[in-house]
Amino acid sequence: PKMGLQIQADLNPRYAMVFGMSTANLGSTKKDIRNFFVGFNIPAVRETRFSLLLNQFWFGAKRYWTFGKVAGQVAGSSEQVAGKPATSYKLPATRFYAEMGILAVTRAYLTTDVWMHVYAPEEGFDFYKVTETGIRGNGYASYIGAGGEYFLNKWLSLGLDIDYNIGSVVDLKFDHYFTVDPLEKDIIATGDRVLSLDLKKGVMMPLIIDLEGWDMKGHFRVYF
């Protein structure tokens, strides 16, 4: 799930500018069997946990289409209603909109923890190999979408929108690295570029976090 806060300025009944921020924390765990070589192969149980934190900040625009009007009264004008000052306003019961993210900045932090249990009692091996890496990077994205909102009263609405995001985080570097294996302590340094290996193609390339996909959001909007 993603949570966020959005600030909107209505320029006129049809157009609005939006600034927002959101955060999402994603995780997954996978177990497999991997051969650990100590002069000969030992089948070892490996568990890998991934935790991805995405913080986004964006600037965008909306175009509104309004349907339905509801009349109401609030105090504060020179008009008189039952001896009390009041004013008449028109509240849009429902309005729909198309929106576009002009710029979205994404900050990503990826943590990978690996536990490997090397167990071969007949050969005298029974130990855990533990590795932890922290990866940080920034990227850019944009989005297009549509949505609608229904006014519960003059200052509160309930809405839903669906967006399609396009973008990625490509400049990923190691933030920290830890291992219990003394032979691997110096193979990664803070600031090193993060690479990924395609075993099927035998190709090494920079690691990329792909942000493309659908995003559905429900929201409460408070008007001032």
Side-chain angles (χ1 to χ4, degrees), residues 134-136 171-177 185-195:
I135 299 168
R136 188 187 301 270
D171 187 22
L172 291 167
K173 296 181 179 180
F174 285 101
D175 182 71
H176 73 270
Y177 173 74
K185 286 188 178 295
D186 299 323
I187 63 174
I188 295 176
T190 300
D192 285 352
R193 188 89 181 267
V194 183
L195 303 176

Side-chain angles (χ1 to χ4, degrees), residues 1 38 59 126 132 150 197-198 202:
V38 288
F59 177 73
D126 184 8
E132 179 182 294
Y150 177 78
L197 175 63
D198 189 327

Side-chain angles (χ1 to χ4, degrees), residues 126-145:
D126 184 8
F127 63 90
Y128 284 90
K129 181 180 179 181
V130 181
T131 304
E132 179 182 294
T133 56
I135 299 168
R136 188 187 301 270
N138 300 319
Y140 299 96
S142 61
Y143 65 88
I144 55 174

